[in-house]
Amino acid sequence: MKLLFFFFLLGLTLAAQTLTRIFDSPLFYKNSTPLNNVFSGGHNNPEFQFIDVTGDGKKELFLLDSDGSVSYYVNEGTVSSPDYHLYAIPFQGIEFKDWFFFTDIDNDGDQDYFTGRGDNYIRFYRNTGSAAAPLFTKEIDTLRDLNGEPVFSESACNPVFTDVDADGDYDLISGNSSGSLSFIENTGSALNFQFTFRTTQWLNIIIIGGGSPSGLNDNRHGASSIDFADIDNDGDKDMIWGDFFSTSLYYLENNGTAASPSYFVKHSFYPSNSDSLITSGFNMPRFTDFDGDGDFDLIVSVLYDPSVPQSLIYYRNAGTPAVPDFRKVTEDYFSTVDFGIQSAPVFCDIDGDGDYDLFTGSANNPNGSIHYFENTGSRFSPLFQYRTDTFAGITGELTIVPSFADVDSDGDYDLVTGRFDGKLMFYRNTGTAQNPSFPAGQFLTETGNTDIDAGLYSRPFLFDYDSDGDIDIICGAFNGRFTLYRNDAGNFTSPFTKDITYFQNLDVGDNSSPFLFNLTGDEKPELITGNRAGSVLVFSNTGTVINPVWTPQPFNLPGGFAGSELSPWISDFDGDTDPDFIFGNYRGGLIFFRNDEILSAAEDFTVPEKFSVSAYPNPFNPGTKISFSLRESAGVRYFITNINGERIFQSDYMFMSNGTHTLPVDFAKLNAPSGIYIFTLTTGKATAQSKLVYIK
């Protein structure tokens, strides 16, 4: 029986685990092209800004995703050839809410910071450090105008601080859902800002959107995202405008002056060439000299639909500063691991080659699907190649969440999927361990032969909770609760027994995503789950396996909020004997936390002092069975080395009860030549070895 979980008997408290977020390892490829920043977590509807906040002459990139997570990219290339890599945000105490904008508001040579508050008001952080070593200190919780009234900026819009009247200081231009712009003038100075509200109908500009390439216009107006730049190099600032109901961009040319601007809509689809932007709508534009050639390039994100394939759309200016010609370079500048929305990762050796391949469920309209990365590397040096976005042709209405296990003990992995409607679908593998085949699935049933209904957005986890030799199902759902479906009949074609009491009505909010794993080595796995709020919750069982008592334990991911709807998978991904953590999330990517707490697997456990191992048959071709006995329960691990001492296989840690055990070993799967090998079994305090002779 194959179970897709791995026990690491570390004998440590949850709080003792040292987790480090990893952004760009191991290697992932799609269509033979390497992906970048693979553990970014994905990006959905990012609001963004390129800005040099560290004073090194190269612009950093900040992104605020729709789930409230913030990403900080550093240019490790050059000004003319940027190469952006994701880092943990080094600035403490800074908050991002609704929108954000960096600008040197006090003209002291470093970047200060404005952001929303969640209620259409504005916070201000002054940089009390320097250009090279910024320190952002919250100075104003509610920005107020000269009359003491709160400065209002609609949270759905992206405002801009820019000098629109050529008086040397930065004013605030903010969009309104009515299609107009508010003008809040800086009536202070470049050194000491003071804002004065002027109008909600600045220059009588109004954008009524809804246009499409076919020429249809349904006369709607909504939130906006704007930016200003002197696009035609005539000494005044032009404007570009993304409207909530527009699938493209509006270009408003300034035919006035820098001090007295006057705008007219020159283009309602922009760029005005064969590369004109067309998306699902509500586009956010930013002008920046991306390639350091002295003119403005155009970068765009899509704010309307979280499942769009675009991340940042990059248009390079192939023209001149005075006559720009924006040409699309890529619709997905990041090229990261991103499955759309609501990713749910599973690792499984689907092709029987001894390493873990990656699957992830996803959500999409009308159908979610299972994405598949094949591991063409090795167990602890993986190299993932993207194979398909619809594994085995399996889809589910809106969402799908996979879980694998060998439910029929035939040596290959079978599949159960959770669905948006709460039902569970079972796909038996009628192929082999090396060449799986999944014909049409069938709905799993519960007592009374009714289809299982675990609640909207069901998330199954396959697990033999009572160690009776068959696979049970633990299921999370949108309601934040957990349901155990006991496999009392011992097969997946008979009805399961629904048990809503096993998890004692635990409620973690919305979107529970269960994973059972022995983090502390007490022979009883903990329950680890994410939720919609982005928390990771851990519950230890202080009762028994059959009569559990679930007790919450402290557990915090480093670095603060990593994203909403975290979906955990836990295993030793780097071969250092401790559990690492990978999460799917609402943004549709993957987040990796490496566990740097390297401890003995047997620490704090009673293990047998002596034991022996034997192999039969021996010599053999292609497989043999290793037998051994344990006087007491223990955590065990085994290795196979050649006569040169080179390790050709390394197992995960496994918890085994006292008594006699048998481990099958198949050398055909190891692609090993004929020869003499050493099998080593260790409990951490005791080790036994046996010589193996493999003859092809």
Side-chain angles (χ1 to χ4, degrees):
M1 178 188 302
K2 296 182 181 178
L3 299 182
L4 288 187
F5 56 88
F6 311 93
F7 288 153
F8 299 82
L9 306 182
L10 299 176
L12 65 154
T13 65
L14 296 178
Q17 300 183 55
T18 304
L19 301 180
T20 301
R21 186 170 176 186
I22 304 300
F23 296 110
D24 212 11
S25 178
L27 300 177
F28 283 73
Y29 284 81
K30 186 174 183 178
N31 299 326
S32 300
T33 301
L35 301 180
N36 303 313
N37 302 293
V38 293
F39 293 117
S40 67
H43 293 296
N44 285 348
N45 316 125
E47 301 172 34
F48 67 98
Q49 187 178 6
F50 290 88
I51 190 76
D52 180 10
V53 295
T54 57
D56 63 353
K58 297 185 292 186
K59 295 176 181 177
E60 287 75 39
L61 170 60
F62 291 83
L63 294 99
L64 172 61
D65 276 284
S66 58
D67 68 349
S69 57
V70 180
S71 301
Y72 172 67
Y73 286 85
V74 174
N75 181 4
E76 294 185 350
T78 64
V79 171
S80 59
S81 182
D83 181 19
Y84 282 94
H85 290 263
L86 184 61
Y87 280 80
I89 295 179
F91 314 118
Q92 301 300 314
I94 187 171
E95 300 174 87
F96 292 74
K97 192 75 173 180
D98 300 329
W99 57 268
F100 67 95
F101 200 90
F102 290 90
T103 189
D104 184 7
I105 194 67
D106 51 9
N107 200 32
D108 63 351
D110 55 39
Q111 299 296 329
D112 307 295
Y113 173 75
F114 294 87
T115 187
R117 295 192 346 161
D119 54 5
N120 298 320
Y121 297 133
I122 301 173
R123 284 194 177 104
F124 169 62
Y125 293 77
R126 191 183 300 276
N127 186 352
T128 56
S130 64
L135 177 63
F136 296 100
T137 303
K138 184 166 69 172
E139 183 173 296
I140 302 175
D141 188 64
T142 303
L143 187 67
R144 297 180 182 274
D145 66 13
L146 186 62
N147 299 316
E149 296 296 324
V151 175
F152 184 89
S153 179
E154 287 191 15
S155 58
C157 296
N158 279 285
V160 172
F161 290 82
T162 187
D163 185 5
V164 296
D165 49 12
D167 63 351
D169 54 36
Y170 292 113
D171 310 294
L172 171 60
I173 306 295
S174 179
N176 303 307
S177 57
S178 62
S180 65
L181 296 175
S182 290
F183 174 38
I184 300 94
E185 183 183 359
N186 186 351
T187 55
S189 67
L191 299 176
N192 296 289
F193 68 88
Q194 176 64 64
F195 289 104
T196 301
F197 172 77
R198 295 303 190 196
T199 180
T200 60
Q201 303 288 327
W202 185 55
L203 302 178
N204 294 316
I205 297 171
I206 186 165
I207 293 292
I208 299 177
S212 68
S214 63
L216 298 176
N217 194 320
D218 52 10
N219 295 322
R220 293 184 290 179
H221 45 71
S224 60
S225 184
I226 59 175
D227 199 16
F228 292 82
D230 185 5
I231 294 303
D232 49 11
N233 203 33
D234 64 351
D236 55 40
K237 292 183 178 179
D238 310 292
M239 188 189 339
I240 194 164
W241 185 310
D243 181 79
F244 186 86
F245 292 107
S246 171
T247 59
S248 189
L249 295 168
Y250 293 91
Y251 172 56
L252 288 77
E253 184 173 320
N254 184 357
N255 61 359
T257 65
S260 181
S262 176
Y263 292 96
F264 73 99
V265 177
K266 186 171 183 177
H267 300 290
S268 57
F269 292 91
Y270 197 77
S272 57
N273 55 34
S274 58
D275 283 345
S276 183
L277 176 71
I278 299 295
T279 71
S280 57
F282 197 13
N283 301 304
M284 178 181 178
R286 284 280 189 251
F287 287 115
T288 186
D289 185 2
F290 189 76
D291 52 8
D293 63 351
D295 55 32
F296 287 109
D297 305 294
L298 174 63
I299 314 292
V300 184
S301 68
V302 184
L303 304 184
Y304 183 76
D305 182 357
S307 63
V308 296
Q310 301 97 340
S311 58
L312 288 186
I313 307 169
Y314 168 36
Y315 287 87
R316 185 176 64 85
N317 186 356
T320 67
V323 185
D325 181 22
F326 296 106
R327 293 294 173 174
K328 183 164 60 178
V329 177
T330 178
E331 287 197 343
D332 185 18
Y333 175 75
F334 286 116
S335 297
T336 185
V337 175
D338 193 333
F339 306 104
I341 61 173
Q342 295 177 320
S343 52
V346 175
F347 287 83
C348 165
D349 184 10
I350 197 63
D351 50 10
D353 62 353
D355 54 43
Y356 296 146
D357 308 294
L358 168 63
F359 298 84
T360 182
S362 65
N364 207 338
N365 188 8
N367 292 312
S369 62
I370 301 173
H371 297 257
Y372 168 40
F373 274 93
E374 180 188 357
N375 183 358
T376 59
S378 62
R379 171 68 175 89
F380 296 120
S381 296
L383 191 158
F384 292 102
Q385 297 276 2
Y386 190 65
R387 296 307 187 200
T388 180
D389 61 357
T390 314
F391 175 72
I394 297 171
T395 61
E397 184 179 2
L398 295 179
T399 66
I400 190 167
V401 177
S403 189
F404 290 89
D406 182 7
V407 305
D408 49 11
S409 300
D410 64 349
D412 55 39
Y413 286 109
D414 308 293
L415 170 64
V416 171
T417 62
R419 295 160 42 105
F420 180 77
D421 61 7
K423 296 182 179 182
L424 302 180
M425 185 73 78
F426 170 52
Y427 299 86
R428 189 184 303 277
N429 184 354
T430 59
T432 66
Q434 292 76 32
N435 295 289
S437 177
F438 296 93
Q442 65 183 78
F443 288 113
L444 293 177
T445 61
E446 57 183 281
T447 304
N449 281 317
T450 60
D451 292 343
I452 287 176
D453 184 356
L456 291 177
Y457 195 29
S458 58
R459 288 178 170 243
F461 181 74
L462 304 183
F463 189 88
D464 183 8
Y465 89 100
D466 51 4
S467 301
D468 64 350
D470 53 43
I471 301 296
D472 310 289
I473 304 174
I474 293 93
C475 210
F478 175 77
N479 62 13
R481 297 180 181 272
F482 305 91
T483 304
L484 169 65
Y485 291 92
R486 296 199 313 268
N487 186 359
D488 292 335
N491 63 76
F492 266 50
T493 58
S494 299
F496 285 75
T497 302
K498 183 177 182 177
D499 186 346
I500 62 173
T501 65
Y502 186 79
F503 290 100
Q504 301 165 340
N505 294 317
L506 286 178
D507 188 341
V508 297
D510 292 336
N511 290 5
S512 51
S513 52
F515 195 100
L516 271 71
F517 191 93
N518 194 342
L519 287 170
T520 56
D522 61 356
E523 305 182 23
K524 293 174 294 185
E526 281 71 39
L527 169 65
I528 303 98
T529 181
N531 65 9
R532 188 176 185 179
S535 302
V536 177
L537 305 172
V538 177
F539 300 88
S540 63
N541 180 2
T542 55
T544 66
V545 170
I546 303 302
N547 296 295
V549 177
W550 298 103
T551 304
Q553 298 294 328
F555 187 89
N556 294 302
L557 294 175
F561 182 72
S564 63
E565 297 189 25
L566 296 180
S567 179
W569 188 268
I570 305 172
S571 183
D572 180 12
F573 293 104
D574 52 9
D576 65 353
T577 75
D578 55 31
D580 306 298
F581 295 73
I582 283 186
F583 296 93
N585 68 97
Y586 177 77
R587 303 194 311 275
L590 299 175
I591 302 169
F592 178 29
F593 288 90
R594 186 185 64 210
N595 191 345
D596 295 324
E597 192 74 23
I598 303 176
L599 298 176
S600 166
E603 187 171 339
D604 293 339
F605 285 89
T606 301
V607 295
E609 295 181 359
K610 295 181 180 180
F611 63 96
S612 61
V613 297
S614 62
Y616 182 85
N618 193 18
F620 58 90
N621 178 19
T624 186
K625 292 183 178 180
I626 308 295
S627 298
F628 60 96
S629 295
L630 299 176
R631 288 186 296 173
E632 298 173 348
S633 299
V636 301
R637 189 178 196 179
Y638 69 89
F639 316 93
I640 300 174
T641 56
N642 60 26
I643 58 175
N644 296 320
E646 297 169 331
R647 188 173 295 177
I648 67 169
F649 182 80
Q650 172 177 291
S651 76
D652 292 298
Y653 274 100
M654 301 169 285
F655 182 80
M656 291 189 170
S657 60
N658 63 315
T660 300
H661 299 271
T662 300
L663 291 172
V665 177
D666 187 354
F667 268 55
K669 294 182 179 180
L670 301 179
N671 294 318
S674 299
I676 297 174
Y677 296 85
I678 303 299
F679 179 94
T680 302
L681 184 71
T682 180
T683 65
K685 291 186 178 179
T687 298
Q689 293 182 325
S690 178
K691 182 172 70 174
L692 305 179
V693 181
Y694 176 40
I695 302 175
K696 283 190 175 181

